[in-house]
Amino acid sequence: MPPLEILGCRVDDADLAEATARIAAFARDGRSHRVVTLGTEMIVHAHRDPAYRVVVNGADLIVADTIGVVYASRLYATSLRGRVAGIELLESLCACAASEGLPVYLLGAAPGVAEAAGAALAARHPGLRVAGTRDGYFALADAPDVAAAIRESGARILFAALGFPKQEYFLADWLSASGAGVGMGVGGSFDVLAGRLQRAPETFRRLGLEWLYRLLREPRRWRRQLALPTFVWLVALERLHAGKGMPSS
Ligand code: UDP
């Protein structure tokens, strides 16, 4: 089967257990690997910004973070089995990191949030080594120091909660320098782990309405969420063109 590509972005088919196992293997080998948890808004952004698309497609593993990406995949030849929510992958990786002795680093969110998220994770996963934390509001000029601090911490897994596209660009530029085996963008996950933000209840998630819950809780996101109808429209156009055998750019 050819790899799935939605609006120019590759998406890999993996369930939570497979993604966790692959990433744990990345963390153990000597090289640096980037993981993208891809949402609909990110795909729309990548569609408009070729540089971001290159960064996303350069990742070693790209999983579908939102149900919209999974629904869209059903219109393509290779469809996805399900979503792998970034926050669930983070949690599952921490369980694995605790049992395998792989130190993790939490970079991102407002001051104090990464620290609180790290404490919550360490409490849930006995043996987890949180090698370091740092907020995500540093100047671009400080990026080398941020990477050096991560290297010094000895972290094997770096969770970057800087929001997109910043987290993907940061990892593309600085993951190697950080020395971590894995760098994964996790959006607003630290806010949820630290108890500052609530995740959508199970009912909303099951119905594929997590976006609606977030919109109700954070109405200021409405402009960002215009990406959703845009995504549906662009995917419909892409499939229509493919059906007619026309190029789909
Ligand atoms: N953030 C950050 N540095 C920045 C901009 C954002 O650390 O320069 C953090 C922000 O505090 C939040 C996360 O990045 O914790 C992004 O959250 P958002 O809800 O935008 O992410 P999503 O889950 O929608 O990708």
Side-chain angles (χ1 to χ4, degrees):
M1 275 287 182
L4 170 65
E5 221 179 73
I6 301 178
L7 302 176
C9 283
R10 191 186 95 235
V11 196
D12 301 318
D13 186 30
D15 62 18
L16 183 63
E18 286 165 8
T20 305
R22 279 191 66 184
I23 297 169
F26 289 161
R28 286 187 299 259
D29 88 23
R31 292 176 302 120
S32 294
H33 306 262
R34 286 189 294 114
V35 178
V36 171
T37 56
L38 193 64
T40 40
E41 292 170 18
M42 293 162 77
I43 295 181
V44 171
H45 190 88
H47 182 72
R48 294 174 176 150
D49 179 352
Y52 184 60
R53 196 158 68 227
V54 168
V55 162
V56 166
N57 285 337
D60 298 272
L61 180 67
I62 306 174
V63 295
D65 180 35
T66 63
I67 199 68
V69 178
V70 177
Y71 288 155
S73 76
R74 296 187 181 146
L75 302 172
Y76 293 76
T78 316
S79 62
L80 301 168
R81 279 169 289 167
R83 75 184 279 215
V84 181
I87 192 160
E88 284 163 25
L89 186 54
L90 185 165
E91 198 80 53
S92 162
L93 281 168
C94 284
C96 180
S99 68
E100 297 197 21
L102 300 164
V104 303
Y105 194 103
L106 274 60
L107 172 69
V113 174
E115 205 179 345
L121 287 166
R124 268 199 297 280
H125 304 287
L128 178 68
R129 220 185 104 213
V130 179
T133 61
R134 175 167 184 155
D135 73 82
Y137 292 87
F138 52 87
L140 203 59
D142 291 333
D145 292 342
V146 172
I150 299 166
R151 178 177 280 278
E152 209 140 287
S153 78
R156 295 307 304 147
I157 302 179
L158 167 62
F159 296 115
L162 306 169
F164 82 88
K166 198 174 173 183
Q167 60 199 15
E168 284 76 31
Y169 279 121
F170 176 84
L171 291 173
D173 291 342
W174 295 102
L175 180 65
S176 297
S178 82
V182 173
M184 176 170 120
V186 293
S189 296
F190 295 175
D191 296 302
V192 175
L193 293 169
R196 309 251 171 136
L197 208 68
Q198 224 162 1
R199 215 186 151 198
E202 179 58 34
T203 327
F204 278 78
R205 281 188 249 159
R206 218 186 28 250
L207 296 172
L209 292 175
E210 203 158 7
W211 62 271
L212 177 62
Y213 182 82
R214 288 201 77 172
L215 186 61
L216 294 173
R217 294 293 299 240
E218 303 167 76
R220 65 191 159 76
R221 291 176 73 93
W222 72 270
R223 200 185 290 275
R224 266 186 66 169
Q225 290 204 340
L226 286 180
L228 285 175
T230 309
F231 176 74
V232 173
W233 171 246
L234 289 173
V235 166
L237 277 183
E238 178 162 90
R239 295 323 292 151
L240 251 163
H241 282 144
K244 289 182 189 153
M246 285 162 63
S248 59
S249 84

